[in-house]
Each structure stands twice: as structure tokens, then as C-alpha cells.
């Protein structure tokens, strides 16, 4: 009786369900807003401090500091998590010194904190570190299956030692291997913008790096911004431009510069992956990383990357339309001295009449019927939410 009912229900569902035919395998439903979390690379590189204990401490701190609550979900391990050779069956082996209990134990710990877990590999024969850990090229299916069995939720897939094989082919092979595991795994393409991934990777990965590596300097952050800001039309829900991970808190930029870095990444709908030691973060660093009103611009449901409406003389005006009809405006002063940066309601495409401006760093509110303007310190950024 019950079986008949279930069969009838199944038949009915088949008749009434919309045809879910051929959804592109790339549409894994993930990263509807840009991914947020932590990655150890900018802090540790392959240093000895990159261990199971370190990763657990980071996961603990994400929770205790309120960063998880603010949206930082993924705990991602970068290069150097593996032994330099596969085992006799061809499986990747976790580094025995850094991760004596294996990777699954770390993933389980991270999951136990209500967080998600990510891992790194390269679409080549070896990863990028000079020591050369085994890469995924030609091992896509087996590696993806192993990662899924460990509970991996996120893969950063690099570009080193690629043997000159076509990039789209290499990255698509891993996309398909990840999809075949049946586990939802966010797929972060890291080929440094070499093959213009913005033109082909929306059907392949959830994000793609647009430039070479960031480092903890204003000059590098600025040059990456200038490249990535031009690519806005290629980004959207599920497929984002990635200007590389955050340096906020690593100590070689000023807090003013870190606020610019964070503001500009949010205006560009960039993945927000913390890369500093949050276990020892200063209150200034935490105030930047936990600015929920700036994070809300990054995570806005409309999913439109901001674009520049002017930049003469290094005085940048960036505009980002938001889901509720508000418009975010960033006034970024690239130059070495304080400057007034001005735009207007009409220039940003807001209607006429009185509008409310909220400064998302100072938290001050004001109103305007025309001019939007601020005195902005050297290397600083003022961000307004215009309502
Ligand atoms: C490349 C990537 C970096 C990092 C290193 C690891 O340089 O672009 O983000 O993953 O490899 O070796």
C-alpha cells in the first residue's frame, strides 16, 4: 500500500516537476555571495608554524572573536599540507609532521565549530612551493574523491607546473571531478589572470584570481586594485573576480591603508579571506575585519561588483548598487597627501531630493541633495551608503 503511494507520488512529481535538465555542472550553487573565511598563506607561507595546532587555534578564534558571526566561514589550508610523494596507491599523503592525525581530523575539528574546511592543490604536476608537492594534473578524479572523503568543502586550485596544457581544459577537468564526488565543494581558480579567466571561467569555477600574488604593501595592493576594478562586468553570484587574499593585520601597511584595502575589496565583491594571525589581532585589525556594514557591501545579494566613475589625479570614486536600492560610494585617495574627493547624487545615478549618507567607518550620518564629498587622508578611503 505504502509502496504504491510512494510510486504514485514519484510519478506525479516527475510529471509536475520543472525539467531540471542539463544544469551546467559548474553551477554548484555555492558562493552566491563572495566566499569569506581564513587562509594561512599570507601569514605562514610554508613555515613550521603551519600545523594542526595552528589551524585548530584559528578555528577557535574565528568563533570566539565574533568573526564567524560576521560571516567568515571557511578555514582553508594553502600549499605545503602534503608529503612530497603520493603513496603506493597514488593517494596524496598529509604531511606527517604538520598534520600527524591526517587532514580529515582537522576537517572534523573545523566542522565541529560550525565552520567549513578548504584545501589547496595545483592544476599541474606539482604545487608552487619550491619543494614541489604533488599536483592534481592527471589525478583529478582520485584526488577529488579523496578530498571529499576527508570532508573538504573548498578547493583552491593553483597554476604551477602546468606542462603547457590548456588552462580551460585543466580547470574544467577538476570542476567535473569535484562535481562527480557529489559533495558541494566551492571551486576557487588560481591561475593569476594569465589566460583571462574572466572570459571563460564563469562556467568553470566560483572565483578566479585576476592577478599575481598580493603582498603586505600599499603599492602591491594598489596595483591589484587597479587591475581588478576594470573587470566588474564579469562578476556575479556564483562567479567572482578574486584580487587575492587579505593582508589586513600583517603589519606592513598602516591601519588607514588596511581600511582602504578592505573597503576596496568589499566594493569589488571580492572573496574576503583573512590572512593574518587573528589569534593575536589588535583591536584596530578586528575593527576592520568585523565592520559588518562594509562586509554587507561585499555580501550584498544584488552581486554587482563596483566600478569607478572617476579617478582623475588618483582620486577614485567607486560606485556599487545594492539590492535594496541604496548605492555604496567609496572615495579612495591614492595620493600621498590629504585631498577632498567629491561626486554627486546625479553622478552616482541616485534620484534627486534629500538622501541620507552613512559613513561606514566613522558611523556618522548626514544628508545631501547634491554633493557627496569628504576630506580623505593620504591612502585613505571614505565609504558612504547612500539611501
Ligand atoms: C601561488 C599562489 C599563492 C599561494 C602559493 C603557494 O603563488 O598564487 O596564492 O597559493 O602559490 O605556493
Amino acid at each position: 500500500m505504502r509502496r504504491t503511494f510512494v510510486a504514485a507520488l514519484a510519478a506525479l512529481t516527475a510529471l509536475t516537476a520543472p525539467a531540471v535538465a542539463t544544469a551546467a555542472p559548474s553551477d554548484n550553487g555555492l558562493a552566491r555571495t563572495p566566499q569569506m573565511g581564513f587562509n594561512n598563506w599570507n601569514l605562514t607561507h610554508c613555515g613550521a608554524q603551519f600545523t594542526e595546532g595552528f589551524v585548530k587555534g584559528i578555528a577557535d578564534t574565528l568563533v570566539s572573536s565574533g568573526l564567524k558571526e560576521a560571516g567568515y566561514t571557511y578555514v582553508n589550508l594553502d600549499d605545503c599540507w602534503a608529503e612530497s610523494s603520493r603513496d603506493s596507491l597514488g593517494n596524496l599523503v598529509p604531511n606527517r609532521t604538520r598534520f600527524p592525525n591526517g587532514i580529515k581530523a582537522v576537517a572534523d575539528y573545523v566542522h565541529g565549530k560550525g565552520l567549513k574546511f578548504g584545501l589547496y592543490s595545483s592544476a599541474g604536476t606539482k604545487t608552487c612551493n619550491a619543494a614541489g608537492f604533488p599536483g592534481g594534473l592527471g589525478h583529478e578524479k582520485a584526488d577529488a574523491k579523496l578530498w571529499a572523503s576527508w570532508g573538504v568543502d573548498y578547493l583552491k586550485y593553483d597554476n604551477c607546473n602546468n606542462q603547457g596544457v590548456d588552462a580551460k581544459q585543466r580547470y574544467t577537468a577538476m570542476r567535473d571531478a569535484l562535481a562527480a564526488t557529489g559533495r558541494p565543494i566551492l571551486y576557487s581558480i588560481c591561475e593569476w589572470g594569465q589566460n583571462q579567466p574572466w572570459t571563460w571561467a564563469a562556467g568553470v569555477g566560483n572565483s578566479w584570481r585576476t592577478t599575481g600574488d598580493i603582498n603586505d604593501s600599499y603599492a602591491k595592493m594598489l596595483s591589484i586594485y587597479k587591475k581588478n576594478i576594470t573587470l566588474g562586468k564579469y562578476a556575479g553570484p556564483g562567479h567572482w573576480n578574486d584580487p587575492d587574499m587579505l593582508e589586513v593585520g600583517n603589519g606592513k601597511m598602516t591601519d588607514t591603508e588596511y581600511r582602504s584595502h578592505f573597503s576596496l575589496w568589499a566594493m569589488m565583491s571580492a572573496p574576503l579571506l583573512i590572512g593574518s594571525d587573528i589569534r593575536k589581532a589588535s583591536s584596530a585589525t578586528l575593527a576592520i575585519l568585523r565592520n559588518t556594514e562594509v562586509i554587507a557591501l561585499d555580501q550584498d545579494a544584488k552581486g554587482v561588483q563596483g566600478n569607478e566613475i572617476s579617478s582623475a589625479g588618483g582620486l577614485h570614486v567607486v560606485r556599487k548598487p545594492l539590492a535594496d536600492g541604496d548605492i555604496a560610494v567609496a572615495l579612495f585617495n591614492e595620493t600621498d597627501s590629504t585631498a577632498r574627493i567629491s561626486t554627486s547624487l546625479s553622478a552616482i545615478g541616485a534620484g534627486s531630493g534629500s538622501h541620507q549618507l552613512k559613513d561606514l567607518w566613522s558611523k556618522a550620518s548626514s544628508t545631501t541633495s547634491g554633493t557627496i564629498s569628504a576630506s580623505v587622508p593620504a591612502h585613505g578611503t571614505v565609504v558612504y551608503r547612500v539611501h
Side-chain angles (χ1 to χ4, degrees):
M1 184 63 189
R2 178 161 164 77
R3 196 181 305 140
T4 317
F5 175 73
V6 172
L9 192 64
L12 189 67
T13 311
L15 283 176
T16 53
V20 200
T22 59
S26 58
D27 190 7
N28 56 16
L30 301 172
R32 305 313 295 170
T33 62
Q35 61 265 34
M36 294 176 66
F38 176 92
N39 173 299
N40 65 288
W41 182 254
N42 288 345
L43 172 65
T44 69
H45 286 220
C46 294
Q49 72 271 43
F50 176 41
T51 62
E52 173 180 321
F54 165 86
V55 179
K56 288 180 169 175
I58 292 293
D60 293 347
T61 308
L62 282 170
V63 175
S64 63
S65 64
L67 287 164
K68 176 191 172 202
E69 181 72 29
Y72 298 90
T73 303
Y74 290 95
V75 177
N76 297 346
L77 275 47
D78 210 283
D79 200 358
C80 305
W81 62 264
E83 284 287 334
S84 48
S85 300
R86 292 173 181 273
D87 69 14
S88 58
L89 299 173
N91 291 318
L92 294 163
V93 181
N95 182 285
R96 294 189 183 88
T97 310
R98 297 181 195 274
F99 300 105
N101 301 303
I103 294 295
K104 186 172 186 302
V106 185
D108 288 348
Y109 186 89
V110 167
H111 289 148
K113 297 263 155 188
L115 297 161
K116 293 188 187 302
F117 180 77
L119 214 49
Y120 163 100
S121 185
S122 181
T125 49
K126 291 183 169 187
T127 67
C128 290
N129 183 258
F133 302 99
L137 189 62
H139 296 266
E140 291 86 354
K141 288 212 169 68
D143 288 356
K145 210 172 150 194
L146 182 65
W147 296 327
S149 79
W150 288 346
V152 168
D153 307 300
Y154 184 121
L155 175 68
K156 171 179 174 181
Y157 203 39
D158 215 333
N159 194 32
C160 285
N161 304 300
N162 61 51
Q163 310 302 309
V165 181
D166 175 72
K168 186 171 181 186
Q169 186 184 319
R170 287 181 291 117
Y171 285 97
T172 303
M174 184 56 82
R175 172 197 73 183
D176 294 343
L178 294 174
T181 68
R183 185 176 176 88
I185 299 178
L186 194 154
Y187 185 29
S188 156
I189 294 175
C190 177
E191 66 79 75
W192 324 308
Q194 282 195 341
N195 303 278
Q196 304 200 305
W198 44 90
T199 63
W200 52 264
V204 182
N206 296 111
S207 63
W208 50 83
R209 282 272 299 279
T210 55
T211 71
D213 289 7
I214 197 168
N215 60 43
D216 191 12
S217 73
Y218 175 70
K220 178 58 86 176
M221 185 277 287
L222 178 63
S223 73
I224 289 179
Y225 161 74
K226 285 184 174 179
K227 169 78 187 200
N228 196 73
I229 189 69
T230 66
L231 300 171
K233 71 173 180 194
Y234 300 103
H239 55 279
W240 308 102
N241 289 311
D242 176 5
D244 208 356
M245 303 176 289
L246 298 170
E247 291 284 2
V248 176
N250 277 329
K252 297 208 174 97
M253 287 189 250
T254 65
D255 288 332
T256 297
E257 290 166 344
Y258 284 139
R259 273 190 291 277
S260 286
H261 177 19
F262 196 72
S263 301
L264 295 171
W265 264 230
M267 291 296 287
M268 295 192 294
S269 309
L272 297 179
L273 293 166
I274 298 170
S276 62
D277 196 345
I278 53 175
R279 299 168 307 173
K280 301 172 189 159
S282 68
S283 55
T285 292
L286 283 175
I288 296 171
L289 296 173
R290 284 191 311 219
N291 186 327
T292 50
E293 288 180 299
V294 174
I295 292 171
L297 306 182
D298 183 78
Q299 296 292 302
D300 186 76
K302 195 175 179 87
V304 174
Q305 178 175 329
N307 70 305
E308 277 191 341
I309 56 176
S310 55
S311 61
L315 305 180
H316 303 262
V317 178
V318 185
R319 169 191 188 271
K320 186 186 204 295
L322 303 173
D324 67 356
D326 288 2
I327 299 174
V329 177
L331 308 175
F332 165 49
N333 178 6
E334 171 190 342
T335 78
D336 295 336
S337 33
T338 300
R340 179 152 290 275
I341 305 182
S342 299
T343 184
S344 65
L345 288 175
S346 66
I348 66 161
S352 56
S354 181
H355 283 65
Q356 185 198 81
L357 299 184
K358 175 139 191 219
D359 180 325
L360 303 187
W361 289 109
S362 79
K363 307 296 181 191
S365 286
S366 57
T367 57
T368 181
S369 301
T371 304
I372 299 169
S373 162
S375 171
V376 186
H379 301 184
T381 302
V382 168
V383 185
Y384 290 124
R385 186 168 182 132
V386 182
H387 176 66

